[in-house]
Amino acid sequence: MSSSTEQPISRFQVPSLESLPEDIREKILAVQEKSGFIPNVFLVLAHRPAEFRAFFDYHDALMEKDSNLTKGEREMIVVATSNLNQCQYCVVAHGAILRIREKNPEIADQIAVNYRKADITDRQKAMLDFAIKVSQQAQEVCDADFEELKRHGFNDEDIWDISGIAAFFGLSNRMANVTNMRPNAEFYSLGR
C-alpha cells in the first residue's frame, strides 16, 4: 500500500529489483508471489547482496528446519524478544506470521505486551523466559536455566534452537532499528 505521505522504508539506499543480482531478485519475487507483496526487510537488506544471502540463509536454517519447536513457537520467540529490543518491524511482521501459524488473532499482541499473561502453555512461557534471557542477559545463562527447560521437556537441541533464534533476531532487531525499517501496511491485517 502506498500513499503520498508514505515514509521511506530505510535510511539507506534501497536498490531497484532490476539492479539486484539474479538470485536475490528471484528470491524476492518468489516471496512476493507467495505473500502478495514484498516484505520491506527483503528490499532493505538487498542493499548489501552478500549480507542479504547470509542473513536469509541463517534465517531459513533457524526458522524453516525440522525441529521440536513448532513454527509458531519460533515466531513467539521472535515477537517476545523483538518487543524488548523495541523493533517495530519485527514485532509487526512476525506478529502477523505468528497469528497465521497459530490461527489465533490475539496471540501476537498478548506475547508482545506480556507473554507471561498470554494464553500459552507453561512450557512456552519457560521457553520465552529463556529466550528473553538470551536476548537481554546472555552472560547470565547458567546450568539452572538448562535444567528448567529440561523440566519442561526441552532437550539440548531445542535449547540451541531457542538460543539461536533469540540471538539471530537480536541482530535483525538492531539492523531494523538502525535502518529505520518500516513494516509493510499489509502485515497489520494478516491473520486477524
Side-chain angles (χ1 to χ4, degrees), residues 27-192:
K27 182 172 183 80
I28 291 172
L29 291 174
V31 169
Q32 181 181 33
E33 176 72 24
K34 183 177 179 180
S35 65
F37 66 100
I38 301 172
N40 288 339
V41 65
F42 288 89
L43 298 172
V44 172
L45 295 182
H47 177 77
R48 291 202 169 168
E51 293 171 27
F52 175 101
R53 290 181 189 103
F55 180 92
F56 284 106
D57 282 349
Y58 196 38
H59 172 277
D60 294 350
L62 291 167
M63 301 300 285
E64 300 300 328
K65 70 176 188 159
D66 289 334
S67 169
N68 289 330
L69 301 181
T70 68
K71 288 185 177 182
E73 288 172 334
R74 292 176 235 184
E75 296 297 340
M76 289 177 190
I77 294 167
V78 178
V79 171
T81 58
S82 296
N83 179 56
L84 287 178
N85 290 327
Q86 299 182 38
C87 182
Q88 180 187 40
Y89 184 89
C90 292
V91 171
V92 171
H94 288 274
I97 298 167
L98 174 57
R99 289 190 299 272
I100 292 167
R101 296 232 191 264
E102 292 294 309
K103 297 174 179 54
N104 180 340
E106 299 169 356
I107 194 69
D109 292 343
Q110 290 178 358
I111 288 177
V113 172
N114 184 349
Y115 70 89
R116 290 178 187 95
K117 294 183 179 180
D119 296 327
I120 58 176
T121 67
D122 288 343
R123 178 183 181 275
Q124 291 166 333
K125 288 176 185 172
M127 172 189 76
L128 294 178
D129 283 340
F130 182 72
I132 295 299
K133 190 169 189 178
V134 170
S135 174
Q136 304 295 305
Q137 300 164 306
Q139 73 281 2
E140 295 179 15
V141 170
C142 62
D143 290 343
D145 297 312
F146 278 61
E147 291 167 16
E148 178 65 12
L149 288 169
K150 288 179 179 181
R151 194 174 71 72
H152 286 277
F154 293 103
N155 63 35
D156 285 342
E157 293 303 309
D158 302 332
I159 296 169
W160 184 287
D161 289 343
I162 296 165
S163 303
I165 294 165
F168 175 78
F169 278 92
L171 162 75
S172 181
N173 298 159
R174 285 157 181 80
M175 288 304 296
N177 279 325
V178 168
T179 62
N180 199 34
M181 194 181 300
R182 305 285 302 176
N184 301 68
E186 292 88 347
F187 282 126
Y188 291 96
S189 61
L190 289 175
R192 293 198 190 265

